Amino acid sequence: MSESPLKSRLTLGQKTTFGLPSFAMNLSGALFGGWLTYFYLPPEEAGVGKVALVAASAFAVAQLVGRIVDAIADPLVGYWSDRSRNRMGRRLPFLLFGGPILAISFLALWFPPFAPGSLANSTYLVASLCFYWFAFTLVVAPYFALIPEIAETSQERVHLSRSMAIFTVLGLAVGLGAVGTLQSNFKDGITLFSFHIPSGIQIMAVFASFSLLVLFWAPLINIRERAYSEEKAVPKGLFKGLAVAFKNPAFRTYLAMAALIQMGLTMVIASIPYLTTQVLAAAPGQEGLIPYEDGESWAGALQATVVVLAALCIPLVNVLTDRLGKRRLFVLAGIVMTVVLLLTPATGLFPDPAIPAIVLFVALAFPVSTALVLPNAIYGDVVDFEAERTGIRREGTYTGATALLTKAGIGLAQASVVGLLALGNTRGSPIGIYLCFPAGAIFVAIGTWIFSKHPIDT
């Protein structure tokens, strides 16, 4: 396949505008992954006035149902975008029309209108999650499918992934770092233009929704897809395309890595607010590095610290990628992450568990940085692996197939967090909080082992 100037020489401006949606996606993702469980199911010792908005069982069911809808939507949207013949291209129209829908659906999650604990509130959560995950797929699947189309070489994909990783880090830093501070400092919320926002978490949700609305339009400024041609035609048949994807050995190992490591990280991220407020923060009347009343702020601070340090590790990841290759470097990162997560429960053995916990969070920076930079580049290699054999590029189908299992796995991981936390999520009984970390480590370890068999060693 011949390379056009646009594909082989992406400008700094194009890399920047293409990366901007990653800021919005990860800002909202950090809020969703790190705080949605805490928002709907606050621990009993979280403070006066905080009550569960739904029953724990209803929350788990809602997460699973939402992820099932998401999983079904992913291959459908991927196939739809592969077959699109719009004059703007196969992917960009989804960003144009889907961005506002995604912003509205995300905002709806954080403003349940019914009484806490009511059946109506539980029903609303199920409907909102289904709406959100369909909208998310409608926009994000075509966005990722653009990567191998506009960056054809492996080196160019690493550069583009690095640009996306920078905005991912910024989004995560804002989403993880600010929400805890907002929650602590605006316990009664704020009023803007006669509209009352009840909590700091919801303040951040409004900002995240606005970023989704605006930033998914950024690539439209200077990214151009080639118009439809027979060269880009993908044969009819969604299930046939999925079958071809799953026969690709490079895809199977990539998929295992993407799904299982994401499951592990999902369990860890959802558990951190519980860890900081119920384990790391000092008990009332006692002294410690983290005061009792600052547990929520420290949840965001620790998460943001990992993300900022991960950003500083990006140049190191680039150097190691050139020397070791993507496969070996990712395996090394997976081993480090597994060890750190297995050691996390041991922090409770120390007089002040906050100190060893900070050390472990710092150690996560390198594997997190690797997880931010490499998967998108590896994904492009996987698409090429089939295209070299068949001459057909199914970026959307591969994106949808990846999301089909990854997001179903995330739903299972979120439900697992709820189940483990039911064993104990308070200062007096933290066993469920502790168990989330080794459970996450198991997923990461399995994903790392399977990916070590990846057939592409670049």
Side-chain angles (χ1 to χ4, degrees):
M1 183 178 292
S2 62
E3 293 187 4
S4 67
L6 174 64
K7 291 185 176 182
S8 60
R9 295 182 179 88
L10 287 173
T11 67
L12 177 61
Q14 289 171 321
K15 293 175 185 177
T16 300
T17 56
F18 187 81
L20 280 169
S22 294
F23 175 89
M25 184 169 56
N26 287 280
L27 169 62
S28 59
L31 184 60
F32 183 97
W35 292 92
L36 188 73
T37 304
Y38 188 86
F39 178 71
Y40 274 89
L41 301 173
E44 295 176 2
E45 298 178 12
V48 178
K50 293 184 180 180
V51 297
L53 299 181
V54 297
S57 58
F59 184 85
V61 169
Q63 289 280 19
L64 283 174
V65 172
R67 290 293 186 175
I68 290 171
V69 170
D70 186 25
I72 294 173
D74 277 305
L76 294 176
V77 171
Y79 177 71
W80 180 11
S81 71
D82 275 346
R83 299 272 304 165
S84 174
R85 301 190 178 194
N86 191 285
R87 61 184 178 84
M88 290 179 60
R90 296 192 291 177
R91 323 296 180 187
L92 292 177
F94 290 87
L95 276 63
L96 175 63
F97 298 108
I101 299 173
L102 177 58
I104 293 171
S105 68
F106 183 77
L107 189 64
L109 285 172
W110 304 93
F111 291 88
F114 302 105
S118 65
L119 177 61
N121 227 24
S122 298
T123 304
Y124 176 86
L125 177 60
V126 173
S128 297
L129 282 170
C130 292
F131 179 33
Y132 167 70
W133 282 122
F134 178 79
F136 184 90
T137 300
L138 189 66
V139 179
V140 174
Y143 171 64
F144 278 108
L146 271 170
I147 295 171
E149 285 206 43
I150 66 175
E152 288 189 339
T153 67
S154 179
Q155 183 181 36
E156 188 79 358
R157 287 167 188 160
V158 172
H159 291 167
L160 188 61
S161 297
R162 180 175 58 194
S163 176
M164 295 171 66
I166 291 171
F167 285 106
T168 293
V169 166
L170 292 173
L172 289 173
V174 174
L176 297 173
V179 65
T181 301
L182 287 172
Q183 183 68 2
S184 294
N185 294 330
F186 294 92
K187 296 184 182 297
D188 297 322
I190 61 173
T191 300
L192 295 175
F193 307 108
S194 300
F195 180 76
H196 182 65
I197 304 176
S199 69
I201 293 176
Q202 290 162 299
I203 294 171
M204 182 57 70
V206 172
F207 177 70
S209 298
F210 179 76
S211 72
L212 289 169
L213 174 65
V214 174
L215 295 183
F216 266 102
W217 284 343
L220 301 173
I221 297 172
N222 58 3
I223 298 293
R224 298 291 180 268
E225 291 184 81
R226 289 182 298 166
Y228 176 82
S229 66
E230 291 303 320
E231 178 188 352
K232 299 179 73 174
V234 172
K236 290 183 179 180
L238 169 60
F239 294 105
K240 182 178 179 180
L242 289 173
V244 171
F246 281 103
K247 289 179 181 178
N248 183 343
F251 178 65
R252 292 197 298 269
T253 52
Y254 164 79
L255 178 60
M257 174 268 288
L260 289 166
I261 291 181
Q262 189 61 53
M263 289 175 69
L265 289 175
T266 295
M267 298 192 72
V268 171
I269 291 171
S271 306
I272 287 176
Y274 296 89
L275 180 72
T276 57
T277 58
Q278 305 303 311
V279 176
L280 304 185
Q286 295 183 359
E287 294 185 357
L289 180 62
I290 302 178
Y292 171 72
E293 64 276 7
D294 290 345
E296 290 176 335
S297 295
W298 271 83
L302 287 176
Q303 292 168 327
T305 297
V306 173
V307 170
V308 171
L309 292 176
L312 297 177
C313 288
I314 288 177
L316 174 63
V317 171
N318 290 331
V319 171
L320 292 177
T321 300
D322 292 336
R323 294 185 178 182
L324 301 178
K326 302 186 194 77
R327 183 185 66 189
R328 279 176 283 185
L329 179 58
F330 208 98
V331 169
L332 174 62
I335 293 171
V336 174
M337 186 180 296
T338 299
V339 172
V340 170
L341 298 184
L342 288 173
L343 291 175
T344 300
T347 58
L349 302 175
F350 289 76
D352 188 345
I355 296 174
I358 291 173
V359 173
L360 291 176
F361 273 67
V362 170
L364 278 175
F366 163 67
V368 168
S369 182
T370 304
L372 290 173
V373 174
L374 291 188
N376 291 329
I378 295 170
Y379 159 73
D381 296 340
V382 169
V383 174
D384 286 346
F385 196 80
E386 181 203 333
E388 290 172 359
R389 295 184 298 173
T390 66
I392 298 173
R393 302 191 63 85
R394 308 175 191 264
E395 290 92 343
T397 299
Y398 274 97
T399 300
T402 300
L404 171 67
L405 293 186
T406 298
K407 293 176 183 177
I410 290 174
L412 176 61
Q414 289 169 330
S416 298
V417 169
V418 174
L420 290 174
L421 291 176
L423 301 176
N425 66 358
T426 64
R427 186 178 303 276
S429 178
I431 183 63
I433 301 173
Y434 286 135
L435 288 176
C436 287
F437 291 88
I442 292 173
F443 287 126
V444 173
I446 296 173
T448 300
W449 176 74
I450 295 176
F451 186 70
S452 68
K453 315 297 181 182
H454 191 62
I456 305 174
D457 187 17
T458 59

